[in-house]
Amino acid sequence: MISDLLRIEGLRVYYYTRDGVVMAVDNVDLFMKKGETIGLVGESGSGKSTLGRAILRLVPPPGRIISGKIVFDGLNLTELSEEEMRKIRGKRISMVFQDPMTSLDPLMKIGDHIVETIMAHETLTREEAEEKAIKLLEQVGIRSERFMDYPHQFSGGMRQRVGIALALALNPDLVIADEPTSSLDVIVQFQILDLMKELKNLYGMGMILITHDISIIPGIADKVALMYAGQLVEFADAKSFFNEPLHPYGKALLESIPNIQHSDQKLKYIPGNPPDLINPPKGCRFSPRCPYATEKCREEEPPTIMVGHHRLVKCFQY
Amino acid sequence: MPLLKVVDLKKYFPVQRSFLERLLSRKIDYVKAVDGVSFEAEKGEVFSIAGESGCGKTTTGRLIVRLIDPTGGKIFFNGIDITSLSGEELRKLRKRMQIIFQNPYASLNPRMKIGENVGHPLEIHGIAYGREKEKLVMEMLEKVGLQPASKFYNAYPHELSGGQRQRVAVARAMILKPDFIVADEPISMIDVSLRARILELMIQLKEELDLTYLFITHDLAVAKYISDKIAIMYLGKIVEMGEKEVIFSDPKHPYTNALLSAVPVPDPNVKRKRIMLKGEVPSPINPPSGCRFHTRCPLATDICRREEPKLVKIDDNHFVACHMVK
């Protein structure tokens, strides 16, 4: 257990809205080893982004971490002061956002973004930081001539490369990438995922890849963490998950996605709608849409069960 | 006779300039969003247009239902030239041609109840009012799976989920019993778990109501699932077009090949050919000379830089615009 890079236990993050309490992340346990990549998958509103932000303690108000532990390399992040937390953000845990256009300062040159980030955490001279920034940009495929350009002069894919360079600037132990390719076209998505894979091998950091698109997980993630309605319903190594998802939601999800490799695919669909997190269904939250649901599923919340080696599933079937 | 025939369709949008720029120069730049597109869709077919953002697929769809006016070219619907219809004639055409938009959060009037949203076209076209309208709307709501219809009839759009709203949009498009529907990325803004249901619904209604679809999508896996024929667009032009089976099993254009190899597959056991293109799509304001793809094409030669390749027939129902494909 000491070797875990990140260990989340019983995490609850609620949003206190005018309409009621939204239980966005509700009792989630997650653990990851150093250098591992976890694909955190779920639909919109499943709590995946909230979970990602909670790790950095960046949940926007009216959201709050209610309870639970986030232990990062032996430190319980939920107990740190804001000052101590700031030393961790960017330096040890960094983030890649969906659209870096909204996370980059439009009035600041690309190079300065990176230089500023480096100088905020490390004692380097401006020249040394610039040298490092140029090297970083080259690593993500941006020529050094573009150092003085502004964010609006970059295309979506290039901006995401800058976002990745920024996230890696301080050689973090963990990168949280929140839908990093969702606003990109398929060919650029392919390029960016490839770049992320390459850099991960080079830097050896751990990564949490948050996505609604389960198709991008194979080939990049070691593990899959599947979220539904604020809860982690399955946690497994990627290969086993795609070969045989255990949770009925995972199974149904994979059967509902068109696969370009299939010639005569028959899609199955999931009936009903994702639940309202102010009033989630009683018992298992997937039970109203689950073909295997029994009386018990509708009454009691299923426990999280270990199946085989390190495979977790939240379902009464196991 | 094809139900829809498009010949050399063009749409150039002028680029907005500042007051100063207008004073200083006369030259206007154009975004050549659609630049010479021709294709035919037979009755009962699902014809898909696929491509990346900015390729002109949405503009093509909007031109066809005449939401915007083309810069050049012709559109024939059922053999009739509809390129410059207006007024009453255009309104009559709309009864037979409808569109489903991408964003169900923006395409429904938030102040109208679902029943009014869906029933409004009936009133506009003078088909049914009052009780009669209500009955037709209820039937349509049932058909798209919004049950019980009476409950949804009186609901407002904000009370519905994205998937339910898109069903409302489908119901509104179908209420006039059109022959032809343009579906512009109808599932891309919907929750993943609800997408398959909308696709199935569209296929089922197509059979029931004898429809023809022009299906616009950026997602090739979805295109493969729903289409009979598919056209791949790049920078305002069709680069390859044909029967679905042919396009997916034997793609000829280097762009189609690259696009297909970039589509993620939810199966770690599949090993595929990887074709990694460099860079991104160039600007449609000054598209590259010759073949527009030559700047990124692994096969490009001199002729590609000089001459624009024509979309030529290489087999029954297979068209490619590439100098390197014989």
Side-chain angles (χ1 to χ4, degrees):
Chain A
M1 276 299 158
I2 300 295
S3 70
D4 281 352
L5 175 66
L6 182 74
R7 211 172 70 241
I8 297 175
E9 287 172 23
L11 186 69
R12 291 178 204 268
V13 185
Y14 292 177
Y15 289 94
Y16 291 85
T17 68
R18 270 197 295 182
D19 298 331
V21 181
V22 179
M23 296 177 248
V25 174
D26 203 15
N27 201 7
V28 165
D29 298 324
L30 190 78
F31 44 87
M32 74 184 286
K33 294 193 183 69
K34 283 198 168 81
E36 217 170 39
T37 299
I38 290 184
L40 183 57
V41 183
E43 294 176 68
S44 40
S46 63
K48 57 190 191 304
S49 288
T50 301
L51 177 57
R53 284 171 178 270
I55 296 169
L56 278 165
R57 294 236 324 254
L58 286 175
V59 179
R64 273 213 318 268
I65 297 174
I66 299 306
S67 61
K69 275 197 222 165
I70 302 170
V71 183
F72 170 73
D73 205 13
L75 284 167
N76 186 355
L77 301 183
T78 53
E79 287 167 357
L80 295 188
S81 68
E82 193 52 32
E83 189 59 34
E84 290 168 309
M85 199 58 217
R86 196 148 40 204
K87 290 199 182 111
I88 292 198
R89 285 187 203 125
K91 171 76 182 144
R92 301 204 60 200
I93 308 177
S94 65
M95 189 140 187
V96 177
F97 297 92
Q98 176 165 352
D99 180 11
M101 192 62 197
T102 52
S103 57
L104 296 173
D105 182 341
L107 298 178
M108 202 169 172
K109 289 169 189 145
I110 289 301
D112 289 343
H113 274 95
I114 299 175
V115 169
E116 188 183 62
T117 307
I118 294 171
M119 291 181 69
H121 289 272
E122 286 178 8
T123 45
L124 291 178
T125 63
R126 169 101 201 165
E127 284 69 37
E128 285 168 326
E130 271 180 18
E131 204 173 302
K132 200 172 165 190
I134 288 174
K135 220 177 110 204
L136 262 165
L137 285 174
E138 269 167 8
Q139 260 173 8
V140 298
I142 295 175
R143 283 170 294 123
S144 54
E145 299 99 272
R146 305 213 59 183
F147 193 83
M148 303 293 267
D149 284 351
Y150 289 94
H152 77 268
Q153 294 170 290
F154 285 72
S155 65
M158 292 302 261
R159 282 204 289 267
Q160 198 53 289
R161 286 172 193 266
V162 175
I164 291 168
L166 266 173
L168 293 176
L170 299 158
N171 202 357
D173 301 301
L174 174 62
V175 172
I176 299 170
D178 191 358
E179 303 270 12
T181 61
S182 302
S183 57
L184 305 174
D185 273 314
V186 59
I187 288 177
V188 184
Q189 162 170 287
F190 191 45
Q191 294 167 348
I192 295 291
L193 288 176
D194 211 61
L195 175 71
M196 286 170 66
K197 255 184 270 180
E198 192 190 305
L199 292 172
K200 225 195 82 84
N201 289 338
L202 195 67
Y203 284 77
M205 75 283 187
M207 185 160 74
I208 298 180
L209 177 66
I210 301 173
T211 181
H212 71 282
D213 184 359
I214 203 167
S215 314
I216 69 168
I217 298 294
I220 187 154
D222 307 304
K223 293 205 170 145
V224 174
L226 182 66
M227 284 191 79
Y228 184 79
Q231 299 181 325
L232 198 68
V233 295
E234 183 161 355
F235 186 42
D237 73 277
K239 203 139 200 167
S240 326
F241 176 82
F242 283 98
N243 284 337
E244 199 205 351
L246 294 181
H247 197 278
Y249 173 62
K251 221 177 268 184
L253 197 61
L254 282 182
E255 285 173 348
S256 75
I257 302 169
N259 182 335
I260 199 159
Q261 290 289 316
H262 290 191
S263 46
D264 250 328
Q265 199 183 2
K266 201 76 204 125
L267 287 189
K268 292 189 183 155
Y269 56 83
I270 306 175
N273 287 301
D276 167 14
L277 292 184
I278 294 177
N279 293 304
K282 213 172 146 194
C284 170
R285 294 186 179 177
F286 188 59
S287 64
R289 306 174 76 188
C290 180
Y292 312 104
T294 62
E295 212 38 59
K296 193 175 176 190
C297 303
R298 283 183 267 271
E299 288 301 321
E300 279 172 56
E301 185 175 324
T304 300
I305 294 160
M306 174 95 69
V307 180
H309 282 293
H310 302 295
R311 201 165 171 185
L312 298 175
V313 58
K314 194 176 174 70
C315 179
F316 281 121
Q317 277 191 56
Y318 301 93
Chain B
M1 186 173 59
L3 182 67
L4 177 77
K5 185 175 172 183
V6 172
V7 184
D8 202 26
L9 195 63
K10 287 181 182 154
K11 179 67 188 178
Y12 298 170
F13 293 104
V15 177
Q16 282 284 344
R17 295 173 310 157
S18 68
F19 179 66
L20 195 66
E21 278 172 315
R22 259 181 287 169
L23 276 182
L24 294 175
S25 81
R26 285 232 171 113
K27 195 178 151 284
I28 300 178
D29 281 331
Y30 289 94
V31 174
K32 297 179 176 175
V34 177
D35 201 9
V37 161
S38 305
F39 65 90
E40 292 175 4
E42 302 291 336
K43 186 159 178 50
E45 207 167 63
V46 180
F47 189 97
S48 288
I49 300 183
E52 297 178 271
S53 29
C55 74
K57 54 189 192 298
T58 292
T59 304
T60 304
R62 287 175 178 246
L63 284 169
I64 288 167
V65 291
R66 295 285 325 279
L67 284 177
I68 47 176
D69 290 324
T71 310
K74 292 263 181 243
I75 307 159
F76 297 92
F77 183 68
N78 226 352
I80 299 160
D81 184 352
I82 61 161
T83 323
S84 47
L85 291 189
S86 62
E88 189 53 30
E89 284 175 319
L90 186 59
R91 198 191 340 234
K92 274 193 198 137
L93 175 73
R94 295 252 160 87
K95 201 154 50 172
R96 308 189 52 197
M97 229 182 196
Q98 286 285 317
I99 183 164
I100 299 168
F101 295 99
Q102 176 172 8
N103 187 349
Y105 291 86
S107 65
L108 301 176
N109 187 335
R111 291 169 193 273
M112 274 187 178
K113 288 178 180 171
I114 297 306
E116 293 164 32
N117 260 304
V118 174
H120 203 45
L122 292 174
E123 290 178 350
I124 290 174
H125 291 276
I127 294 169
Y129 304 90
R131 286 252 167 270
E132 176 65 13
K133 179 189 92 177
E134 199 176 314
K135 194 178 138 255
L136 289 174
V137 171
M138 292 281 196
E139 275 171 23
M140 193 40 90
L141 291 178
E142 294 269 343
K143 234 180 206 140
V144 298
L146 292 171
Q147 288 151 340
S150 53
K151 182 187 136 209
F152 284 99
Y153 192 96
N154 288 308
Y156 283 95
H158 76 264
E159 298 171 65
L160 270 55
S161 72
Q164 289 169 335
R165 284 175 202 227
Q166 200 59 304
R167 284 174 203 230
V168 174
V170 169
R172 185 179 57 185
M174 309 248 175
I175 192 100
L176 293 170
K177 308 229 181 317
D179 305 305
F180 178 77
I181 286 182
V182 172
D184 186 4
E185 302 266 16
I187 60 166
S188 61
M189 303 249 326
I190 298 174
D191 276 330
V192 181
S193 71
L194 306 175
R195 288 181 184 177
R197 182 71 191 97
I198 298 287
L199 276 186
E200 282 305 315
L201 175 70
M202 289 188 61
I203 293 171
Q204 179 203 329
L205 289 171
K206 176 183 118 48
E207 301 302 326
E208 253 181 72
L209 305 172
D210 199 18
L211 289 162
T212 306
Y213 287 145
L214 181 72
F215 195 91
I216 296 168
T217 181
H218 71 282
D219 187 334
L220 283 143
V222 171
K224 183 170 184 184
Y225 185 70
I226 198 164
S227 321
D228 297 307
K229 281 190 200 143
I230 176 164
I232 308 284
M233 283 186 76
Y234 184 77
L235 271 178
K237 291 198 171 285
I238 293 178
V239 297
E240 186 159 8
M241 176 168 78
E243 300 272 351
K244 167 177 75 181
E245 286 75 19
V246 182
I247 299 292
F248 285 94
S249 64
D250 190 21
K252 294 289 189 206
H253 199 284
Y255 178 65
T256 314
N257 271 298
L259 201 56
L260 289 178
S261 91
V263 176
V265 174
D267 182 352
N269 302 313
V270 173
K271 292 277 172 285
R272 293 190 303 162
K273 192 166 60 166
R274 291 166 50 88
I275 307 164
M276 180 74 79
L277 287 184
K278 288 222 170 65
E280 290 170 53
V281 183
S283 158
I285 295 178
N286 283 308
S289 64
C291 172
R292 295 182 178 193
F293 185 58
H294 86 253
T295 51
R296 305 169 73 199
C297 182
L299 309 176
T301 62
D302 255 351
I303 185 169
C304 306
R305 284 179 268 276
R306 278 197 325 267
E307 260 177 60
E308 187 163 335
K310 290 204 167 56
L311 190 65
V312 290
K313 189 171 182 173
I314 59 160
D315 209 337
D316 284 347
N317 277 314
H318 194 183
F319 299 80
V320 183
C322 177
H323 292 299
M324 297 299 118
V325 176
K326 289 289 170 280

